[in-house]
Amino acid sequence: MSKIKTESFNHASNQYNIMYQRRVFVKGELRKSLIQTLGEGAVDVFNKIFKKQKITSDVEAKQKTVEAKELKKVELSTFDQVASYFMKTIEIAFGTGEEFSSNEVTDHLLTTNESISAYDVSRGGMYLFKYEPTTKNKLKYYDALPLIIMLGRTDTGFTGLNLHYLPEKYRIQLLKRLFSSVDFSKVKEDDVQARLNAVSTYKFIIPTYKEYKYDGISSRLVRIPIENWLLAALLPISKFEKESRRNVWDDSRRMINDQERRI
């Protein structure tokens, strides 16, 4: 069995671990629904099937055959299946006290470099993690389970766009703005970050821009492959503390409306 692909980084005396979620493929009515929502061009990235690299030796061929069996494609056809898949990923990555078999782990998390999304970039990645801010007593509210598009690191943490601060229809609009005009058959590693820079003043970004301190991270970080971004963005997995989701979204709408009036 291949090892689970992980990365780690250190800050002060603490080590923070990143685990990579496997990319999934949507099909059937779920795929049709996503295409109707985002448009054919925007959905392409979430369902891209990458071409195999040319095999140049019998040894490589044998190894790839083994890997192909271990890394069976995950296909989902209903939103309930998507929700179940992500919840199992969270349980495995964050821990519930339950022991998981090696097969269960590799079904949800990536295991080899070959299976990493071709679109992954260091600063433009999406991450899910548990968070408890050190200044929570001073905050009106906060998301204890952020889903962020990473913007960059600071001396004490990192900045990112937490999509949970937007109602679902606004998340879709933001993803449309990021991806709908991109030719993903020709995408390069830096393109996602370039798109983020291009829409940095876009009104829907304002409520989502957050800074997270390393000291507040209380779990592994799950790296979401770009093919899974839309599915992750549509799931109701936020965990707001001190205020309801509805009240948080009302604040976000006010910020967006204020920005519209300034334009």
Side-chain angles (χ1 to χ4, degrees), residues 3-256:
K3 293 181 179 179
I4 301 302
K5 177 169 177 57
T6 62
E7 289 182 3
S8 63
F9 60 91
N10 295 309
H11 177 74
S13 59
N14 296 321
Q15 177 175 298
Y16 300 90
N17 298 310
I18 300 171
M19 302 186 75
Y20 287 68
Q21 184 188 46
R22 182 192 301 282
R23 64 180 183 264
V24 300
F25 299 83
V26 297
K27 61 179 187 175
E29 292 302 315
L30 179 59
R31 176 178 169 79
K32 291 179 183 178
S33 176
L34 296 179
I35 290 175
Q36 290 172 355
T37 300
L38 273 187
E40 188 75 50
V43 167
D44 177 61
V45 67
F46 304 107
N47 297 277
K48 188 74 173 179
I49 300 176
F50 302 107
K51 295 181 179 179
K52 296 287 186 182
Q53 294 181 354
K54 185 178 180 180
I55 298 173
T56 57
S57 73
D58 291 339
V59 174
E60 289 175 348
K62 185 177 180 180
Q63 178 63 27
K64 287 179 181 293
T65 299
V66 172
E67 290 177 353
K69 290 179 179 179
E70 292 179 352
L71 299 173
K72 60 183 181 294
K73 185 165 67 174
V74 177
E75 293 185 337
L76 305 176
S77 56
T78 69
F79 200 72
D80 284 345
Q81 289 176 354
V82 172
S84 176
Y85 182 84
F86 272 82
M87 291 310 298
K88 182 62 72 172
T89 298
I90 290 171
E91 290 174 2
I92 288 173
F94 297 167
T96 61
E98 178 183 352
E99 291 295 327
F100 296 98
S101 70
S102 56
N103 285 335
E104 286 179 305
V105 175
T106 53
D107 278 349
H108 291 81
L109 300 168
L110 297 178
T111 55
T112 71
N113 287 329
E114 181 181 306
S115 61
I116 297 298
S117 171
Y119 303 133
D120 274 346
V121 291
S122 59
R123 286 193 297 166
M126 178 181 281
Y127 296 86
L128 182 70
F129 53 96
K130 293 170 69 174
Y131 189 73
E132 185 174 353
T134 55
T135 58
K136 63 182 181 181
N137 292 333
K138 299 179 181 179
L139 297 175
K140 182 179 178 182
Y141 48 75
Y142 63 93
D143 182 12
L145 191 63
L147 177 71
I148 71 158
I149 300 175
M150 180 80 76
L151 295 181
R153 294 187 179 182
T154 67
D155 291 339
T156 58
F158 48 81
T159 58
L161 309 180
N162 185 348
L163 298 184
H164 286 165
Y165 282 84
L166 293 177
E168 285 91 343
K169 68 176 183 179
Y170 288 167
R171 298 179 201 175
I172 291 172
Q173 290 300 316
L174 177 56
L175 290 173
K176 268 188 176 182
R177 184 66 174 255
L178 283 174
F179 294 126
S180 60
S181 62
V182 176
D183 181 355
F184 286 104
S185 66
K186 301 177 181 178
V187 75
K188 297 180 181 178
E189 286 189 357
D190 293 335
D191 286 348
V192 173
Q193 186 64 30
R195 294 295 295 171
L196 287 171
N197 292 338
V199 298
S200 61
T201 59
Y202 190 49
K203 62 185 179 181
F204 291 154
I205 283 180
I206 294 172
T208 69
Y209 185 87
K210 306 294 177 183
E211 181 175 352
Y212 294 94
K213 305 289 188 182
Y214 292 131
D215 291 346
I217 298 174
S218 57
S219 72
R220 299 160 170 159
L221 292 88
V222 178
R223 177 72 177 261
I224 309 294
I226 201 168
E227 294 86 352
N228 298 4
W229 281 22
L230 175 61
L231 302 175
L234 294 179
L235 289 174
I237 56 176
S238 60
K239 190 178 180 183
F240 288 110
E241 302 289 347
K242 304 173 71 171
E243 281 288 354
S244 68
R245 183 181 303 164
R246 175 174 294 183
N247 288 344
V248 172
W249 287 354
D250 284 345
D251 278 355
S252 295
R253 290 188 185 95
R254 280 191 286 271
M255 293 181 199
I256 292 168

